[in-house]
Amino acid sequence: MPHDTLVSWRTFALFVLFPPAALVAIVFFPVTVLVLFWLYQRGKHRELAERRN
């Protein structure tokens, strides 16, 4: 690797790729929590309906 560069290509690639990955994680974490909560509520309501019958 030449020594006249400020940063290596590997460091530059991590800098470019990591922020989009962080944004995806920030977006999908609440979505995941909402889906898990929805599945829990759906199962709870189905069990209550089965107990009534």
Side-chain angles (χ1 to χ4, degrees):
M1 178 180 148
H3 291 286
D4 58 350
T5 59
L6 291 174
V7 294
S8 70
W9 284 108
R10 191 176 301 162
T11 306
F12 179 73
L14 286 174
F15 178 77
V16 169
L17 294 175
F18 186 71
L23 290 175
V24 167
I26 289 169
V27 168
F28 279 115
F29 178 71
V31 171
T32 304
V33 171
L34 286 174
V35 167
L36 290 174
F37 180 74
W38 176 71
L39 288 171
Y40 171 76
Q41 290 295 326
R42 189 177 73 164
K44 192 166 116 178
H45 287 293
R46 281 189 179 181
E47 184 175 343
L48 288 174
E50 285 179 6
R51 284 185 182 183
R52 288 184 198 140
N53 294 336

